[in-house]
Every structure is written in C-alpha cells, then in structure tokens.
Amino acid sequence: MANIAKKVSWSSRGDDRGERTPLLNGAEDGKHDRKLSEGAMFHIGRLSTVDLEEEITPEEDIVRSRPKEIPHNEKLLSLKFESLDYDNSENQLFLEEERRMSHMGFRCLEIRRWVICGLIGFLTGLIACMIDIAVEKLAGYKYLAVKENIEKYTELGGLSISLILWAVLNSAFVMVGALAVAFLEPTAAGSGIPQIKCFLNGVKIPRVVRLKTLVIKVFGVICSVAGGLAVGKEGPMIHSGAVVAAGVSQGRSTSLKRDFKIFEYFRRDTEKRDFVSAGAAAGVSAAFGAPVGGVLFSLEEGASFWNQLLTWRIFFASMVSSFTLNFFLSIYHGKLGQLSSPGLINFGRFDSDTVQYNLYEIPLFIIMGALGGVLGALFNVINYWLTIFRIRYVHRPCLQVMEAMLVAAVTATVSFALIYSSNDCQPLGQDNSEEYPLQLFCADGEYNSMATTFFNTPERSVRSLFHNPPGTYNPMTLGVFTLAYFFLAVWTYGLTVSAGVFIPSLLIGAAWGRLFGILLSYIASSQSIWADPGKYALIGAAAQLGGIVRMTLSLTVILIEATGNVTYGFPIMLVLMTAKIVGDYFIEGLYDVHIKLQSVPFLHWDAPPTSHWLTAREVMSSPVTCFNRVEKVGRIVDVLSNTSTNHNGFPVVIHTTENDEPGKICGLILRSQLIVLLKHKVFVERASSRLRQRKLQLKDFRDAYPRFPPIQSIHVSQDERECMMDLTEFMNPTPYTVPQETSLPRVFKLFRALGLRHLVVVDHENRVVGLVTRKDLARYHVGKDGLEELHLAQT
Amino acid sequence: MDVLTKFTFVIACWAVIFISVADCSNDPSEMSGDSARKLPSVVIPVSQASTLGSFYSLSLSSLFPEDLNEYCIELLSIYRQRYVTYANCLVTYARPVKICQNCYTDFNSLEDIYKNISSDHPGPGNVSCHDSLMRSDRLMLLYALFNQLDEIWRSAACKQCLTKEQEALSNDTVYFMATLNQSLSCFEQYQKNHSELCKDCKASYKKLKALYGRMDKNQTLCIDLEDAMNITQQLWSKNFSCLLPREETVPVIAVSSFMLFLPIIFYLSSFLHSEQKKRKLIHPKRAKSSNSLMNIQDKFN
C-alpha cells in the first residue's frame, strides 16, 4: 500500500498542485484511505475466482474494480485503440511459404502491386469526379430555387420567407447527411485526415477503412457541401482515397461479404499501410490536382521511412488519380480529351505577368504569415474548447444531428442577414463570372457584392476572391465577411458531418488577404505598385491554412501545384513557415488537437525532449502474461477471454514456474494467431489426426484478417481444455527485446522506426520482466510543468 | 613530411605560373582572330549606307520593277474607301452605341472587298492580288486593319441582332426597340414627378426587362441593345431612383434573431440536461518496484 500513497512528482515545481499531479498513482491519494477497507475485502473474494492472472497486486485490483471517473479531457489515452502489426512475424510458416514461392512469384507480386496502385488512383479519381458533379448539381438547384424566391419576394415584400426557405433547405440537406453519419457510421465524421494520420502512424482506428465508411463519407460530404455549411470536400477525399486503397488491396469487402480471391498475399497490416499511403496520396492529388503534393503528404504524415520504390508507386497512384478526374470531368463538361481541370478545387490560373511580386513585398508576406499563424491559433483554441464541450455534452446521435441542422440554419441566416444589410453594389461583369448574382436592393444591372461571397459554394468564392479584378469588393464587405465566416467555420468543424477544413480556411484567408491588399493600395501613394489584390488573397489563404493545419512541405507543394505557378513557391514557403512558427507558439495544429481529443495513442517523430532519464523499467507494463512453449489450452482460453486484460501479444517463455520467477524468452505470439490456432484446434493430442488433414498454412491466418473472431465465438470443450498446444511453429521466434536500462528515447526510436507493436523488456538473463506497448510510450508528453503522463481511460 | 609539402607547393606554384603564361600566350591569337572576324562586319554598314543614299534621291513609284498592276490598285482604293466609311460610321455611332443598327451595310461591303482581295482566284491579267497586297511585307497592314475591325464587330455581337445574311435588323431587335421606345416615352411623360414615374411606368419597364431577359437567354442581344438597356436601367434606378424599398427590416431581423437564439437554447439545454460523459480511468500494470520510484526521486534530487 505504501507506494501508492506516495506522491511522486517528476517536475521539481509541480509538487503541491493538486489538480495537476502528473503521475498516475499519485492522483488520488486523498480518497484512497476510504476505499481501502472495502477494497481489501473485495479483493479476497475476487482472488479466489480469478486466479489466471498470476500477479494481481492488491492495490491494483482495488483501483481496477473501482475506477475513477473524470470528465473527458485531452490528457487521456483510450483503451479502444490498438496498434497495427507492422512487424512481420517470421515464424516457420512464413519461412516455408517463402521457400515455396518461386522467383516468378515475387515478380508477379510486384506487378500486382502496380496494378493495385493504378486501380486505387482510378477509383479515387472516379469518386472525386462523382462528388464534384453531385455537389455542383445539388447546390445549383438549391441556389436557383432560393434566388428565384428572393427575386420574387424582393418585389412583393416578405423576404423573411426567403430567409426561412434558405435555412430550411440548408438544414434539410445537412440533416440527411448528419443522420447518415451519426446513426450509421460515426467514424465518417469530420475531415478524416486525423484518422488517416493515425492509421499511417500505426494506430488501428476501428472501422476507419471500411467500405461502409466510404459510402457514408461520400454521401455525407455531398450533403454538407450542398447544405451550404462552411466546409470543403477536399479533406474527405483523402479519407476516401485511403479507404479505396485498403479495400482494393485486400481484394474483398467484409461489408459486402464478398471475397474476390485476389490479392490474398496483401492481407497484412504492413502491405495495407503501404497501399493506404498511396490511397491518401491519390486523394490529395484528386482534391487539389497536386500529384506531387499528394506524395509528399503521405510521406510527411505517414511513412516512417523513405522507400524509393514505394514512393514511386505512390506517385503513380497519384498521377493516375489526377488524370482520371481530369478525363471524366472533361467528358462531363463536354470537352472530351481536354484535360484542363485537374483538381476538385481549381484555383484558376495565376498568370505570372499580371501578378508578379517584388522583393520589397517579401516582408509584407512574412507579416501576413504571422497574422495567419495568430488567426489559425485562435481558430484552433476556440475549436478545441468547442470540441471538448461537444464530447462531454453533445454525445447522443440525435443531439448531434440537431446541432448540425442548427449550424446549417444559422449559416444561412447569417449569410442572409449580411447580404440583406450590405449596401455594396457592383456592376455585373461582362464575363459573367458570378454564377448566381443577386440583385436585391441594388440598382438594375448591378448585383450585391456580399452575395458573391456567401451565395455560392465555398470553392467558387475562393476563386472569385483570387481572380476578380481590383475594385470588385469593398473593404467593409470583406471585413464583415471574414469575421462572420471565421466564426462559422470554427463552429462547423467538428460537427457530426463529413466535411473538410481546407476550403473554409482558404476562404477566410483569401478574404482577409484581399482586404490587406486593398488597404495597402489605400496607404501607398501610387496605386500601380500594389495593383493586384488577388495576389494578397492567395498569400492570405496560404497563411490562414498554414496557421490552422500546420502542414509544411506538402502544403507548400500542394498550393504551388494548385495555383500552377512555381514563382510563388518562395513566398508561399515563407508564409507557411512563419505561420507555423507563430502558431506553434500558442497551440498545435488542428489535426493534432483533434487526435489528442480522441485520446489516440499517437507517436510523434521523437520522444519528449527531456526524457532520457526514464528507462524501459519505468515505462514498461509489468508483470507480463506469458505462455509456455507448450501451453495448456485451458489456460490460453482463460487468458484470452479475460475481459479486464485485453492483451494482444504474449511472450512465449521456455519455462515458467508458478512462483514469481519469470521465464526466459523464446518468442512472441499474437492474440490473433492464438485464436486461429484454437479455431483449427491445433492441439498436440490431435497431431496424429491432423496428419491426415492438411497442415495449417499462413493462408489460414490471412483469411481471418483483419477481423479475427472474438474468443467468445470459439467453442472449446472441457476435454479440449486439458489438451496442450505447441506454439513453437507459429510464434515469432525473434521478437525485438531491450534490456531494462534502455532509455525512453531509445525505446521510442526503435518503436517508431520499426513500427513495432510489442517490445519485450528482459533482464540480463533474458528473462521477461516487462512489455512495452504503444500506450506505454504515448502517455509521456511535455506539458506546462515539464514531462507529464496521460491517463489510460475506457471510452 | 615537411619536404614533401614544400615540394608539392612548388609544383603547384609552377603549375599556376605555367597556366597563366599559357593564357597570356593564347590571348593575342584570340584577339587577332576577333579582329579578323570583325572586319567584314565593319564593311557591311558602309555598303548599306551607300544604297540608302541612292534610295533617297529616287522617286518611289519608278523604282520597283514589279509594280502593282492596275487591278490591284483599284481593289486597294475600293478597300480604302470602304474602310474609311465604315470607320467613320463606327466613330459616329460610338456613344450611345448604335453601330449594329447603322453600320452593317458598311461592314458588309468592307467584308466583301476584303474577301475579294484575299480570295486566291486571279483577276483580269491573271494576277492574284492576295499576295501582292496582303502578304508582301511584315506589317500586313490590310490584314491587320480588317482584323481589328472584324474583332470589334464580333465582340459587339452584332450578328445576333441582324438577319442571317446581315442585310437587315432582325424582328426581335425591332420589337425590342419598340418596347424600349414605349418605356422611354413614358419616362418623358413623367419627367417632373419621379414618384409617379416609378409607379406608372413600372408596367412598361417590367415588360422591357422581361423581354431583355428572354433575349439574353436566347442570345439575340448585341451591343446596341445592351447599351440601350444599360442606359435605361441607369435612368430608372439612378436618375429616377425607382429602387425597391427596404421595408421589411423588422421581420428579417426578428426571424434572424430567432434563428440565432436557437443554438443558445440548444447548447444551454444540452449543458444542463445532458449527462456529462465521464471516462473511467484504468490503472495499468506497472513494475511494482518501489525502488524504481525512489530512483526517480533520487534522480531529481
């Protein structure tokens, strides 16, 4: 008992602060005394029934049986998330298969990988094309209806009816989308980029790469964009690409219960990860028309090491996706073969002679970058608090749908009110760049300038902010629009609809960037120098986006590719750099904030900086549930079906005695493997009968992937419980191990670089003393008072 | 060791000196080569100057042996006449724009002569004027001049107001003019009292607008009509200020504020009534070694 009551603080300052005691055990010393007596009694009763866990210390049992409940916050790690098995299990089955496979077989595998990447690109491009067309059609119908209505009632009186019509139409679209997301597949909510980031990091997010998620995602995006929310369809494209990749590479769909019996070799986490990174790249490429940006995105976010051949394949998928989108859109627009619309968002051409920049503008760009960083940080902070509130209070699906509908209605209301009260009238352009010009109270032949920004899909608004000639917007309009749209976008992100944050960020940035440009031309004496505010709109958009998502290399390349202008590379890079530096001073990027709020055990690139004094001994979980090389079936079943310890990897030891002495390690076996073994009843006693049957192959393990049946579904009779199971053939005989004295950063590096799931900690005689998993490492992070530890929680 | 470095140094120095000497020895030969190459180029301007000098003294027409034949000169003068007439017409009817109605005959005749010149079939005397008039110099003046005017004609979209052969105004155009005149005469009637004008001319103005909208959709508008409509619109909205009144601010504000109020209610009620989501903390198994914890403290102290 003594060591629990002992309060330990890792930082010299934080000792006496009650609310932020960083170490787990110290968190509840006040209440502990009261619990002890009843806990001890409970413990006695419990030990007699549950004797399979060798080492239950009394304190831990108390704590486990009486969990403390706290409101959701960012300093938690959820038990729901597991790791992916990137590490190949080199057991005897694997070696056998490799021996059997001819040289030709490996060649074929390589060719199949290329085919899959091509398919991924093609399907992703097709999906992007479908989303684009659907959104354009639906939004077109909606805006036409509202426009006609407004025109009618401007004359007759009764504009409040148009307002209600607009709000109702918006809410209706959003309701359909939100219903689908909230009730059918909550994983499809949001942009999906955080989830894909986690997946590529090695965290298995349940249901994130399923076909059902894809369908709901695509449907949800169409609804929410057509519903006029302050959202974009680019983020979800990345998720969609990833799902397509995961689905195609497996050659089957568990949602449809179809197995095409192809690509069976790729049914492993390692292979799947490679394809998912290709899919994410294809998604980016389709969304922005930026194939190189897509590749860099997957490398920046996902791949933990640079593989030249893999990168080349990812690039191939990206290019195919961009081309496919291009091709089908050209058919849709009736210009077959004219491949000029490479991405979902088309920034339009920035001709280098009209919007060139000068050396003296660089400092201005940097100032804009800093501004973008500050605004981005503000965005993230507000969204952070809002998300916490949502997780704590708005967690029932029907409430979530209602919230989404309300946001849609308010978006329409705010837009309408601003359009209504705006006096900024501009003459209709000759080239009719406005799709739905609203006259309202303007003179005949003029249109309301506020309406071009609000009464439009966000992408079109971005484009008109970039390209409309100087004098199209008046500064007041832009200022009001920026403010209103900023808060709408903050409020919208994190709703239970599938929608991305790229376009709203770009739009906010473009609006204040253009405002900045216009104000500059007011200040400067000669107008001609600061002629084009479109240039500042672009820089502002980059700054705002960089300030919110904090992507670096890939975002620069994406923006360069989307504008089609390489000369802007340098200013865009400077701006993104400044935005990131300034923003990071306040809060992390939006995606990282959301990953944290989801309590995902995410491993960053490096261990926390001041953690060298921590050793594997402090980090690891201990004691470890081990199996003998030849283990009794009953014990295996009991351990696996113990719900309180949902372990996934078990070190196999040469010999464990019943006393405390841990055994020497000889291998590692996974829960999934054990379940397959139990299912096929690979027992020593049945070895003679099994000889007649075929031998268990690696294929049997792959067939069960990725959804292995739960242990409860496997029936083991009483007789069979007494049988023995020989694990030698199936375990990974060479698991990675570290000695107890290894420092945390060293363990971390091993884990991150190799994509490990279990790392066995051994003593000097190679005896298992502990096991390090992802959650053990991810719990350390640098807080305000130095190193802090996250709590494990059930969500 | 020391000797060795000295030795290499000396060698390096020699190398440098040798190279520089070699360079120097190269230079004069290059110079001479250059001057040799320059010589003829100095000569050429002189010869050019001499030809130019003789050029000035001669009269223009007698110089060229391959003179334009009569036929082409005639074409050229017709072209000149028609060009001037058409340009004259354009400028005359530039503001307010009425070029389509008034200049189409001029344009047609200009186009005829241009086509005539540019057509390859030879005239009398078996001469094609196309090459001699149009393509014998870099400026290609006739081509450029016509091209510009044609461009103006096309961007004015005059074709859309004319009949197929560009021989007369189309029926739509005539009808639009009539409707426009109705409105304008109505405007004239109420010149004094703007508020009555807005009321009484509304019908005819609306009819005009509707017609304009229809024609816009059918693509039967040209610059004349667009400009006329533009002026009328400006008269209507700016001069007579027949703008739609912004009367219903109150209901719009009421509905808006109701809508804005809804989320506040929603969040308040979900805050008050919804059960706060709690997370159960799980305590992981850790090495139950008090000495390790002691170690941490030791390390920090």
Side-chain angles (χ1 to χ4, degrees):
Chain A
M1 302 292 129
N3 59 354
I4 260 208
K6 188 185 293 162
K7 187 165 162 182
V8 182
S9 174
W10 295 353
S11 65
S12 46
R13 289 180 292 158
D15 283 21
D16 41 8
R17 292 198 198 168
E19 77 278 7
R20 201 183 283 126
T21 39
L23 204 62
L24 278 178
N25 296 353
E28 45 177 341
D29 44 356
K31 297 174 197 161
H32 216 88
D33 296 347
R34 186 168 45 79
K35 280 186 191 167
L36 271 184
S37 53
E38 46 185 307
M41 280 166 66
F42 187 71
H43 166 67
I44 294 164
R46 202 172 140 80
L47 254 194
S48 55
T49 54
V50 188
D51 52 352
L52 21 126
E53 279 205 281
E54 313 98 320
E55 277 289 332
I56 302 177
T57 51
E59 311 87 87
E60 280 170 347
D61 194 27
I62 295 161
V63 174
R64 201 174 294 137
S65 58
R66 301 216 139 222
K68 191 188 160 202
E69 290 202 338
I70 60 157
H72 184 90
N73 61 37
E74 59 162 359
K75 288 177 185 171
L76 292 176
L77 287 182
S78 173
L79 279 189
K80 181 172 66 174
F81 301 111
E82 292 175 7
S83 280
L84 292 162
D85 292 303
Y86 289 159
D87 188 29
N88 208 357
S89 173
E90 288 178 352
N91 53 20
Q92 288 181 21
L93 296 183
F94 176 80
L95 295 176
E96 241 166 65
E97 192 186 66
E98 202 175 78
R99 253 202 312 280
R100 272 205 310 275
M101 203 182 271
S102 60
H103 180 66
M104 205 52 210
F106 279 106
R107 275 283 173 76
C108 284
L109 274 185
E110 199 53 34
I111 293 170
R112 259 179 240 159
R113 284 197 183 105
W114 281 96
V115 171
I116 291 174
C117 280
L119 273 176
I120 290 169
F122 179 75
L123 290 176
T124 310
L126 216 57
I127 288 173
C129 181
M130 198 179 82
I131 293 179
D132 196 42
I133 293 173
V135 165
E136 196 173 299
K137 287 275 174 213
L138 280 179
Y141 288 137
K142 190 190 81 176
Y143 284 120
L144 271 187
V146 176
K147 183 176 144 87
E148 270 172 26
N149 193 280
I150 288 180
E151 275 168 1
K152 194 171 106 196
Y153 284 113
T154 319
E155 255 185 279
L156 300 177
L159 269 178
S160 42
I161 296 172
S162 318
L163 162 59
I164 292 170
L165 174 79
W166 191 1
V168 166
L169 273 181
N170 269 7
S171 307
F173 275 119
V174 171
M175 183 181 79
V176 177
L179 275 177
V181 172
F183 285 99
L184 296 178
E185 192 55 80
T187 331
S191 78
I193 294 181
Q195 283 93 324
I196 296 307
K197 248 181 115 163
C198 293
F199 186 90
L200 292 178
N201 190 266
V203 186
K204 184 186 209 163
I205 310 269
R207 302 196 307 281
V208 79
V209 286
R210 288 208 193 162
L211 184 66
K212 190 175 156 199
T213 314
L214 175 67
V215 172
I216 300 288
K217 189 113 208 167
V218 169
F219 180 73
V221 168
I222 293 172
C223 286
S224 48
V225 177
L229 288 177
V231 296
K233 50 192 190 273
E234 277 66 20
M237 261 327 294
I238 295 161
H239 190 174
S240 307
V243 182
V244 167
V248 169
S249 65
Q250 304 301 298
R252 68 170 165 193
S253 158
T254 15
S255 296
L256 292 180
K257 300 194 175 55
R258 284 288 297 277
D259 190 343
F260 298 100
K261 305 272 179 200
I262 45 172
F263 307 140
E264 282 167 332
Y265 184 82
F266 302 123
R267 292 177 188 174
R268 274 189 300 181
D269 281 338
T270 329
E271 297 282 349
K272 204 169 171 181
R273 170 186 61 176
D274 290 353
F275 288 117
V276 166
S277 54
V284 175
S285 158
F288 298 97
V292 182
V295 174
L296 292 177
F297 174 83
S298 336
L299 290 179
E300 187 175 326
E301 300 297 349
S304 44
F305 56 92
W306 180 285
N307 180 337
Q308 175 235 354
L309 199 58
L310 173 66
T311 314
W312 183 225
R313 266 203 306 271
I314 293 177
F315 186 62
F316 174 67
S318 261
M319 271 298 182
V320 170
S321 142
S322 179
F323 174 79
T324 309
L325 176 68
N326 227 318
F327 182 70
F328 282 98
L329 279 188
S330 76
I331 292 179
Y332 172 69
H333 293 304
K335 300 171 200 154
L336 178 62
Q338 208 184 71
L339 305 174
S340 58
S341 51
L344 279 193
I345 171 146
N346 197 342
F347 287 165
R349 295 233 73 81
F350 277 85
D351 292 326
S352 43
D353 49 337
T354 55
V355 285
Q356 55 192 328
Y357 65 96
N358 268 308
L359 188 63
Y360 54 77
E361 287 178 282
I362 298 284
L364 288 175
F365 292 155
I366 292 178
I367 292 173
M368 288 179 81
L371 194 60
V374 172
L375 284 177
L378 183 68
F379 187 102
N380 293 358
V381 169
I382 300 176
N383 194 264
Y384 164 74
W385 287 111
L386 198 60
T387 310
I388 284 199
F389 181 86
R390 278 178 181 147
I391 293 176
R392 284 189 191 167
Y393 295 104
V394 194
H395 46 77
R396 272 183 297 174
C398 46
L399 279 182
Q400 289 171 335
V401 173
M402 266 173 72
E403 192 193 12
M405 285 170 65
L406 277 177
V407 174
V410 168
T411 306
T413 310
V414 169
S415 315
F416 189 90
L418 290 180
I419 292 173
Y420 183 87
S421 55
S422 164
N423 279 324
D424 183 9
C425 294
Q426 300 290 345
L428 275 170
Q430 196 193 0
D431 47 351
N432 272 341
S433 54
E434 311 311 327
E435 193 102 337
Y436 319 103
L438 269 187
Q439 188 188 351
L440 229 60
F441 303 110
C442 286
D444 284 356
E446 295 190 338
Y447 66 93
N448 190 310
S449 165
M450 186 67 98
T452 57
T453 47
F454 270 124
F455 199 67
N456 230 333
T457 51
E459 278 116 274
R460 268 184 211 287
S461 308
V462 172
R463 215 180 314 165
S464 60
L465 281 171
F466 282 166
H467 292 296
N468 279 6
T472 317
Y473 296 96
N474 107 28
M476 185 68 190
T477 309
L478 283 178
V480 172
F481 172 76
T482 309
L483 202 67
Y485 210 80
F486 182 85
F487 286 108
L488 284 178
V490 172
W491 191 20
T492 309
Y493 190 76
L495 283 180
T496 320
V497 294
S498 34
V501 76
F502 269 83
I503 294 299
S505 318
L506 285 173
L507 188 49
I508 297 166
W512 66 253
R514 199 171 171 110
L515 183 66
F516 191 87
I518 294 173
L519 293 183
L520 270 185
S521 68
Y522 279 145
I523 296 167
S525 50
S526 62
Q527 294 253 324
S528 59
I529 301 179
W530 322 96
D532 199 81
K535 164 174 61 181
Y536 290 95
L538 174 65
I539 296 295
Q544 183 68 55
L545 186 53
I548 290 176
V549 301
R550 309 282 163 74
M551 278 150 62
T552 48
L553 168 64
S554 55
L555 190 57
T556 313
V557 176
I558 286 172
L559 286 175
I560 291 174
E561 282 184 283
T563 52
N565 192 328
V566 184
T567 47
Y568 273 102
F570 183 66
I572 288 178
M573 182 194 76
L574 276 184
V575 157
L576 288 177
M577 235 179 210
T578 329
K580 184 171 166 61
I581 291 169
V582 173
D584 279 346
Y585 181 74
F586 299 104
I587 191 172
E588 310 167 88
L590 187 62
Y591 297 140
D592 294 317
V593 167
H594 277 260
I595 286 174
K596 251 191 185 171
L597 285 175
Q598 296 289 317
S599 317
V600 179
F602 188 86
L603 292 187
H604 293 275
W605 291 105
D606 287 306
T610 57
S611 55
H612 279 85
W613 54 272
L614 272 170
T615 61
R617 191 173 173 75
E618 281 105 28
V619 173
M620 70 190 184
S621 303
S622 174
V624 187
T625 316
C626 296
F627 287 129
N628 284 321
R629 193 195 273 269
V630 180
E631 185 61 81
K632 220 167 107 184
V633 172
R635 180 158 180 268
I636 292 178
V637 172
D638 287 339
V639 169
L640 289 185
S641 46
N642 184 351
T643 48
S644 65
T645 62
N646 195 17
H647 294 322
N648 232 305
F650 302 92
V652 180
V653 291
I654 288 176
H655 174 69
T656 46
T657 45
E658 285 309 309
N659 56 28
D660 277 359
E661 193 80 347
K664 280 187 183 170
I665 184 157
C666 66
L668 186 84
I669 195 150
L670 301 176
R671 169 182 286 260
S672 55
Q673 291 172 318
L674 287 174
I675 284 180
V676 174
L677 292 182
L678 284 175
K679 202 171 134 199
H680 288 87
K681 308 219 182 295
V682 191
F683 305 143
V684 176
E685 283 76 5
R686 300 204 172 186
S688 52
S689 65
R690 218 172 73 227
L691 278 179
R692 270 174 275 130
Q693 298 170 11
R694 69 182 181 85
K695 225 169 149 240
L696 205 61
Q697 286 180 351
L698 212 52
K699 185 177 175 304
D700 299 299
F701 290 95
R702 283 199 205 112
D703 281 345
Y705 178 83
R707 284 180 236 177
F708 295 99
I711 182 72
Q712 287 79 12
S713 70
I714 290 165
H715 180 73
V716 179
S717 69
Q718 205 60 41
D719 287 350
E720 284 167 340
R721 283 181 70 89
E722 296 305 316
C723 293
M724 300 301 273
M725 211 149 89
D726 187 3
L727 305 177
T728 321
E729 215 178 333
F730 309 105
M731 69 188 186
N732 180 5
T734 52
Y736 292 94
T737 57
V738 287
Q740 295 179 66
E741 287 75 27
T742 323
S743 72
L744 172 64
R746 230 179 157 70
V747 173
F748 197 97
K749 214 171 277 170
L750 205 58
F751 225 80
R752 183 74 169 84
L754 297 175
L756 295 184
R757 183 169 182 176
H758 305 102
L759 185 60
V760 184
V761 180
V762 293
D763 64 5
H764 55 279
E765 282 172 26
N766 242 0
R767 288 179 305 201
V768 178
V769 290
L771 195 66
V772 178
T773 59
R774 175 174 281 270
K775 277 162 214 150
D776 295 323
L777 289 175
R779 66 199 161 112
Y780 298 102
H781 81 124
V782 180
K784 287 199 181 69
D785 301 326
L787 208 56
E788 290 178 22
E789 195 175 334
L790 304 176
H791 300 275
L792 276 180
Q794 207 149 34
T795 54
Chain B
M1 213 42 158
D2 205 10
V3 176
L4 190 70
T5 49
K6 254 186 196 166
F7 181 68
T8 50
F9 176 70
V10 168
I11 284 193
C13 285
W14 269 110
V16 168
I17 291 168
F18 177 76
I19 288 169
S20 58
V21 166
D23 271 347
C24 287
S25 65
N26 266 346
D27 277 351
S29 69
E30 243 171 63
M31 289 281 277
S32 66
D34 257 26
S35 56
R37 249 177 278 135
K38 267 176 196 159
L39 261 171
S41 70
V42 176
V43 171
I44 289 169
V46 175
S47 69
Q48 270 179 352
S50 69
T51 49
L52 275 176
S54 63
F55 195 61
Y56 289 136
S57 63
L58 293 169
S59 76
L60 198 134
S61 54
S62 61
L63 180 73
F64 299 113
E66 21 128 23
D67 208 350
L68 283 173
N69 73 348
E70 295 292 313
Y71 175 66
C72 291
I73 290 178
E74 200 177 320
L75 282 183
L76 187 61
S77 86
I78 297 174
Y79 182 92
R80 188 202 55 178
Q81 276 166 17
R82 294 189 179 176
Y83 189 88
V84 169
T85 331
Y86 175 58
N88 195 12
C89 177
L90 284 185
V91 178
T92 316
Y93 295 104
R95 273 321 302 169
V97 189
K98 282 180 182 161
I99 53 171
C100 296
Q101 312 162 39
N102 296 311
C103 306
Y104 61 90
T105 43
D106 298 335
F107 178 75
N108 285 343
S109 51
L110 177 66
E111 201 177 20
D112 280 346
I113 187 70
Y114 179 78
K115 273 184 186 156
N116 207 349
I117 294 177
S118 58
S119 70
D120 267 333
H121 72 86
N126 217 358
V127 196
S128 161
C129 296
H130 182 214
D131 289 340
S132 58
L133 287 180
M134 292 242 199
R135 303 209 305 215
S136 27
D137 56 291
R138 148 174 91 79
L139 206 54
M140 302 206 289
L141 201 56
L142 296 190
Y143 167 77
L145 287 173
F146 178 78
N147 220 20
Q148 265 176 8
L149 291 189
D150 191 48
E151 176 61 38
I152 291 174
W153 192 253
R154 256 185 288 135
S155 68
C158 284
K159 258 185 192 160
Q160 299 182 358
C161 288
L162 300 170
T163 53
K164 238 184 180 174
E165 300 296 314
Q166 297 205 27
E167 281 154 350
L169 291 177
S170 67
N171 292 340
D172 282 338
T173 316
V174 176
Y175 180 65
F176 182 82
M177 297 286 193
T179 324
L180 181 69
N181 283 340
Q182 269 178 23
S183 290
L184 289 180
S185 60
C186 177
F187 288 175
E188 215 145 291
Q189 223 173 338
Y190 293 95
Q191 201 57 274
K192 296 278 153 54
N193 192 341
H194 284 176
S195 60
E196 254 180 57
L197 182 146
C198 288
K199 225 185 292 165
D200 289 350
C201 297
K202 194 170 185 179
S204 66
Y205 178 71
K206 263 186 85 174
K207 190 178 155 198
L208 180 70
K209 251 179 88 175
L211 179 63
Y212 183 82
R214 270 208 304 284
M215 288 175 74
D216 191 17
K217 235 175 240 165
N218 296 341
Q219 298 207 320
T220 48
L221 283 178
C222 57
I223 186 69
D224 290 19
L225 307 189
E226 284 164 20
D227 186 59
M229 189 66 200
N230 230 350
I231 295 173
T232 322
Q233 279 179 343
Q234 266 175 19
L235 275 179
W236 177 261
S237 341
K238 297 260 161 76
N239 291 23
F240 308 138
S241 49
C242 301
L243 289 177
L244 291 167
R246 197 173 295 209
E247 281 166 341
E248 21 171 6
T249 313
V250 177
V252 168
I253 288 179
V255 174
S256 308
S257 39
F258 171 71
M259 290 281 198
L260 294 180
F261 199 58
L262 283 178
I264 300 175
I265 298 175
F266 173 80
Y267 284 116
L268 265 183
S269 69
S270 55
F271 178 70
L272 294 175
H273 297 300
S274 185
E275 179 194 351
Q276 186 178 7
K277 198 156 219 175
K278 300 273 190 176
R279 304 294 188 203
K280 282 182 198 142
L281 286 190
I282 309 272
H283 278 240
K285 293 192 290 183
R286 291 273 172 258
K288 62 163 194 350
S289 48
S290 55
N291 61 332
S292 79
L293 294 181
M294 294 297 274
N295 280 346
I296 297 173
Q297 276 193 323
D298 286 347
K299 279 172 188 166
F300 258 88
N301 299 334

